[in-house]
Amino acid sequence: MKTELVFATPAGIETEVLVVLAGDAQTEKSPDAKPQPLLLTSDTTIQSAAAAVLTSGEFKAGANETLLLHAPAGLAAKRLLIVGVGKSAKVTAHSVRSAVGTAIRFVKPRGIRSVAFALPEAAELPVGPSSRAAVEAALLSDYDPDTYRSDRKDLSVYDFKLVAPAGTDAAAINVGYAEGVIVAESQNFARELVNEPGNKLTPTILGQRAAAMAEKVGLKSEVYSTEKLHELKMGAFWSVSQGSAEPPALIVLTYEPEGYDAATYKGPVLGLVGKGITFDTGGISIKPAEKMELMKYDMGGSAAMLGAMCAIAQIKPKVKVISVVCSAENMPDGKAQKPGDVQIAMPFKDGKPGKSIEIINTDAEGRLVLADGLTYARQLGCTHLIDAATLTGACVVALGPVSAGGFSNDEETYAKLNQALTISGEKVWRLPLGDEYYEAIRSDIADIKNTGGRWGGASTAAQFLQVFAGDTPWIHLDIAGMAWYEDTKPFIAKGPSGFGVRSILEWVRSYES
Ligand code: BES
Ligand code: MN
Ligand code: ZN
């Protein structure tokens, strides 16, 4: 999809379909109060073209409700598509995303290839965030996981025009538009990675894809494998990869703000740590066959971090960011680790020896690779950490495919995430950590064990990670239920979601000096 920003009167735009939003202006709450659809544009030609159908009562302007008119009178567009946003007093960046997504996903299967979208004129929504939301949603909703479908190659919308009325705040619109393109393309990059099956995306290939992206956007990248893991004594990370014929990849991307000077930089150094299990069979504690194919998405956390880094490199916030991705394949094999094995995690930077870990279940592998990833990020000088991982089925049981689980050892750090969510529109629900959960992962024969029993599985897993985050302010995002959607959402097709990219980016930006 090619996107373009134009300042013009929407009625004059030549396109296959012009999309406008409509809200319900009815403010009375009584059940008999009739909806009053109101177009969110001051363009009187569009208003006249839609007047008859809007007064007919056929269209209620409910959220994501659609109405298509052919040959609308007086418009240069061949069709007019009206999309509802619900109560017009409540238009938000999120309702714009949903409505634009609904429009694109409406036109795609109908063979419509060029779309223009009239930027909504709504008092409560500033034009900057609104333009960003619109172009973001256009690019996100145009994406389908059809890399390997030869019959579906040509369903994309080719051309998307964001039409802003001339005379509006052009500077804010330009910035919002430019950011929206960067963010959505970065999130789609993450989705492409998550969509790749295990045979097409091994840890080595993930390293190559990360390095190619880094090269393109101007990030420093280092990709290491087995030797480096041994050199750093990453016993926990290595234990997962030892059962696979595919070597692991330790990927480190670094973003330095403009004018960065290591000797004088006093700002925070943010560490983005991602779980990159390119396929999770469970290892010797093997998973049941049902739905095992989905375990190709067990690198969703690392994709979120790589997507966020891709956006960071282009948006250029004034803060240093390092991403550490720990990638391996979790396989059963003659060389695979076994339940009962004891692994020694990477030593801490203060010289303290690494924790000994008793392996109870080889399927609890995500926390093992992250343990060493977090320690390494701290060794590299990170002052604040965030990790993302498809870590536990327990988190999916608790929150469903609605919210990711959020955990933190620091209120201020978590408050910044909550603030970031108001911009990203993504949902994260905070879940608890605490000493009681630590009790569950005490081992009789080692420092800790890698599973905490049946109950509170998302929290015991997070508690395991906290041992390695130590006193560094840290957030853990369990995205097991969010990295892959079972159903299509208004602006994200079912399949790989790229969840986390937008929130992690905004969390990073909140540290700008
Ligand atoms: N990758 C899985 C978690 C997962 C489950 C992700 C469902 C996406 C959807 C993780 O490695 C895992 O297997 N976790 C185990 C931990 C258990 C053995 C303590 C789980 O959740 O069952
Ligand atoms: Mn597992
Ligand atoms: Zn896993």
Side-chain angles (χ1 to χ4, degrees):
M1 175 189 267
K2 186 169 99 353
T3 64
E4 190 187 345
L5 170 63
V6 290
F7 291 89
T9 313
I13 299 289
E14 277 181 37
T15 175
E16 288 181 54
V17 62
L18 174 67
V19 180
V20 286
L21 302 188
D24 177 6
Q26 178 59 267
T27 50
E28 259 184 56
K29 293 213 166 66
S30 102
D32 322 318
K34 288 211 169 62
Q36 284 177 8
L38 177 78
L39 292 181
L40 302 182
T41 174
S42 57
D43 188 323
T44 51
T45 316
I46 301 179
Q47 286 175 359
S48 323
V53 71
L54 289 189
T55 47
S56 73
E58 280 166 40
F59 177 77
K60 301 185 174 53
N64 304 322
E65 188 182 343
T66 51
L67 179 79
L68 182 68
L69 294 179
H70 280 255
L75 303 195
K78 290 197 180 114
R79 305 172 188 81
L80 180 66
L81 177 66
I82 307 175
V83 184
V85 292
K87 287 288 169 213
S88 62
K90 287 193 185 145
V91 186
T92 61
H94 195 64
S95 56
V96 171
R97 270 189 217 105
S98 293
V100 171
T102 300
I104 298 291
R105 301 208 61 82
F106 179 93
V107 306
K108 273 191 88 170
R110 289 174 171 80
I112 297 172
R113 296 290 167 257
S114 92
V115 175
F117 175 70
L119 188 70
E121 295 169 60
E124 61 286 351
L125 182 61
V127 287
S130 163
S131 332
R132 172 177 160 176
V135 71
E136 223 172 70
L139 287 160
L140 290 174
S141 56
D142 190 50
Y143 174 93
D144 268 302
D146 53 12
T147 316
Y148 296 104
R149 290 203 45 182
S150 40
D151 57 330
R152 297 249 330 233
K153 273 285 165 253
D154 220 21
L155 286 183
S156 248
V157 170
Y158 299 148
D159 178 54
F160 177 84
K161 282 192 183 66
L162 177 61
V163 189
T168 40
D169 186 352
I173 293 176
N174 277 311
V175 172
Y177 171 83
E179 282 188 10
V181 171
I182 292 171
V183 171
E185 285 178 347
S186 302
Q187 184 169 343
N188 283 345
F189 167 68
R191 294 164 86 187
E192 270 164 22
L193 294 177
V194 173
N195 189 52
E196 293 289 2
N199 66 327
K200 303 282 186 198
L201 191 88
T202 59
T204 306
I205 299 173
L206 181 63
Q208 290 163 354
R209 302 272 289 251
M213 178 275 286
E215 165 95 44
K216 200 166 123 200
V217 298
L219 290 168
K220 195 176 129 202
S221 76
E222 297 150 272
V223 183
Y224 304 105
S225 189
T226 310
E227 237 174 73
K228 185 77 170 182
L229 267 59
H230 290 327
E231 183 193 313
L232 294 169
K233 301 194 167 58
M234 290 181 151
F237 183 2
W238 169 250
S239 77
V240 177
S241 69
Q242 72 183 54
S244 170
E246 290 294 339
L250 170 64
I251 305 164
V252 183
L253 303 185
T254 308
Y255 165 76
E256 290 166 354
E258 210 191 311
Y260 173 81
D261 173 5
T264 56
Y265 182 77
K266 295 262 173 327
V269 180
L270 307 178
L272 277 48
V273 182
K275 168 178 174 181
I277 301 298
T278 56
F279 197 82
D280 182 11
T281 65
I284 295 298
S285 314
I286 198 162
K287 287 180 181 296
E290 187 166 326
K291 291 272 171 105
M292 202 209 270
E293 72 278 6
L294 279 179
M295 280 301 112
K296 68 174 186 173
Y297 87 75
D298 212 18
M299 34 58 72
S302 64
M305 294 314 182
L306 295 173
M309 289 304 282
C310 178
I312 289 163
Q314 298 172 80
I315 289 181
K316 304 189 193 311
K318 293 193 187 65
V319 58
K320 180 171 176 178
V321 190
I322 302 174
S323 178
V324 175
V325 162
C326 300
S327 184
E329 200 184 53
N330 189 20
M331 298 287 280
D333 175 74
K335 288 220 159 60
Q337 70 176 331
K338 305 165 288 295
D341 284 1
V342 173
Q343 310 293 359
I344 311 295
M346 183 180 174
F348 292 103
K349 69 168 176 192
D350 54 13
K352 280 207 195 101
K355 295 277 178 194
S356 61
I357 305 167
E358 182 187 8
I359 304 301
I360 301 298
N361 188 320
T362 64
D363 197 10
E365 85 297 342
R367 63 199 77 182
L368 296 172
V369 305
L370 289 174
D372 286 342
L374 290 165
T375 303
Y376 189 49
R378 290 171 78 198
Q379 188 181 97
L380 292 174
C382 294
T383 59
H384 299 72
L385 299 168
I386 189 164
D387 76 67
T390 46
L391 202 65
T392 67
C395 191
V396 192
V397 171
L399 302 174
V402 177
S403 280
F407 302 81
S408 183
N409 58 1
D410 186 72
E411 297 311 307
E412 209 183 307
T413 307
Y414 199 81
K416 281 177 171 287
L417 175 70
N418 269 335
Q419 188 54 39
L421 299 176
T422 64
I423 304 170
S424 71
E426 294 184 322
K427 285 189 181 170
V428 180
W429 194 265
R430 190 159 179 191
L431 295 171
L433 291 166
D435 294 344
E436 301 90 332
Y437 298 112
Y438 185 76
E439 290 306 316
I441 55 168
R442 275 185 199 282
S443 161
D444 292 335
I445 59 123
D447 295 334
I448 48 175
K449 53 187 185 182
N450 81 329
T451 64
R454 189 166 153 79
W455 309 118
S459 285
T460 52
Q463 198 65 44
F464 182 97
L465 298 180
Q466 194 185 333
V467 170
F468 301 91
D471 53 12
T472 305
W474 153 82
I475 294 171
H476 158 56
L477 299 175
D478 192 333
I479 62 168
M482 302 304 289
W484 188 272
Y485 289 158
E486 297 278 335
D487 300 302
T488 293
K489 311 257 163 131
F491 62 96
I492 306 269
K494 72 176 179 184
S497 67
F499 183 91
V501 170
R502 302 202 307 278
S503 303
I504 293 159
L505 166 70
E506 296 306 328
W507 179 80
V508 165
R509 294 175 86 184
S510 77
Y511 285 90
E512 272 204 79
S513 53

